[in-house]
Amino acid sequence: MFYNTLHKPSLRILAALIGELIAASALNFFIVPLGLYTGGLLGLCQVLRTVLQTYVGLDFGPYDVAGILYFLANIPILLGAYKNLGRTFVIKTMICTMAYSLFYSILPTPAAPIVEDPLTACLLAGILTGVGNGIVLTAGASGGGLDVVGLCLSKKGYNITVGKFSISFNAVLYTLCLILFSPEVAVYSVIYNFFTAMVLDRMHQQNINIQAFIFTHQNDDEVAHYVMEKMGRGVTYWKGVGAYTGSDVRVLCICLSKFEIEELLRVVHTIDPQAFVTVQEHVRVIGNFPRKLE
């Protein structure tokens, strides 16, 4: 039901904004009160804010300038991503980036940690942040920062996911935290980011490859034409014989993302309600397999 909602264009931007609210709430309620740092571009902005306050002596008042720095840093990233990710994606990402920066700035940070145990707080925040960011990506948008860079690399065919790219970047970021701050801050920040990346890769459905086998008695090519023309995916099919009935059957093999599987199943069962379909997740696809963000 939830993922069917994400297929409706009119509701996708609303879902993305809800995802940004979840991610910002997890950060402000669980991570910031413990003095920890999130990962990615916002984490880098938080570190820069702390350096400017502690070592340079700048006073930004009651406002967290990291949100403003994050928004400004996203401008060149989005301009560079315009060609690779498309106008619609960049516009939705700009909206989500502004929303995330706003949520991060206006949501109140508790004076005392809601969850005093750092490990539990990192686990809860990591799950919520991963879910929130995953909703945003599945809705065909992004909160900006490393998500956009990771998506560009993924779409270009590099064997890397958004979560894996985030872990690699944050390894450098948290090494910097280890040098500038205490080991505890760096370690717990790493734990938070690890849980976030793991949940994000599970939630981001366009990042999960699916192999579907469709067994149908329909002799026309209606399913194959729909998949190729409407979904932009290739189809391989061959003729078989049912061992029990001895009747002819057509077998179609299709590789697509998990986000597209609901549309495929709807079309197949509309054309042939008696069709038999098997689906296998997390298949490794090598070759001409475009990654789609929308």
Side-chain angles (χ1 to χ4, degrees), residues 149-170:
V149 179
L151 287 171
C152 286
L153 294 176
S154 177
K155 191 168 185 180
K156 281 183 172 293
Y158 294 96
N159 186 24
I160 188 170
T161 65
V162 177
K164 290 178 181 178
F165 178 76
S166 176
I167 290 177
S168 301
F169 179 91
N170 289 323

Side-chain angles (χ1 to χ4, degrees), residues 104-245:
Y104 177 77
S105 300
I106 65 174
L107 285 175
T109 302
I114 297 177
V115 179
E116 295 185 357
D117 178 54
L119 184 59
T120 304
C122 289
L123 174 60
L124 292 174
I127 293 174
L128 290 174
T129 304
V131 169
N133 290 339
I135 292 174
V136 175
L137 290 175
T138 303
S142 168
L146 292 188
D147 288 352
V148 176
V149 179
L151 287 171
C152 286
L153 294 176
S154 177
K155 191 168 185 180
K156 281 183 172 293
Y158 294 96
N159 186 24
I160 188 170
T161 65
V162 177
K164 290 178 181 178
F165 178 76
S166 176
I167 290 177
S168 301
F169 179 91
N170 289 323
V172 178
L173 176 63
Y174 291 136
T175 300
L176 182 62
C177 289
L178 182 63
I179 297 173
L180 295 175
F181 312 120
S182 66
E184 290 79 9
V185 169
V187 169
Y188 283 118
S189 296
V190 168
I191 294 174
Y192 159 68
N193 178 70
F194 177 80
F195 285 123
T196 299
M198 293 300 101
V199 176
L200 172 60
D201 272 351
R202 292 293 300 175
M203 286 291 298
H204 185 197
Q205 293 206 336
Q206 289 93 330
N207 203 43
I208 301 175
N209 296 330
I210 297 289
Q211 183 181 54
F213 283 98
I214 303 169
F215 301 81
T216 176
H217 292 285
Q218 297 286 343
N219 293 322
D220 55 59
D221 296 327
E222 190 174 354
V223 173
H225 286 161
Y226 183 92
V227 172
M228 291 185 290
E229 296 174 6
K230 301 297 185 181
M231 301 181 68
R233 294 299 187 188
V235 180
T236 300
Y237 69 87
W238 57 90
K239 295 181 179 179
V241 177
Y244 181 74
T245 62

Side-chain angles (χ1 to χ4, degrees), residues 40-42 70 73-74 77-78 93 97 142-150 165:
L41 185 61
L42 180 58
Y70 178 72
N74 269 286
I77 292 177
L78 292 176
T93 296
T97 301
S142 168
L146 292 188
D147 288 352
V148 176
V149 179
F165 178 76

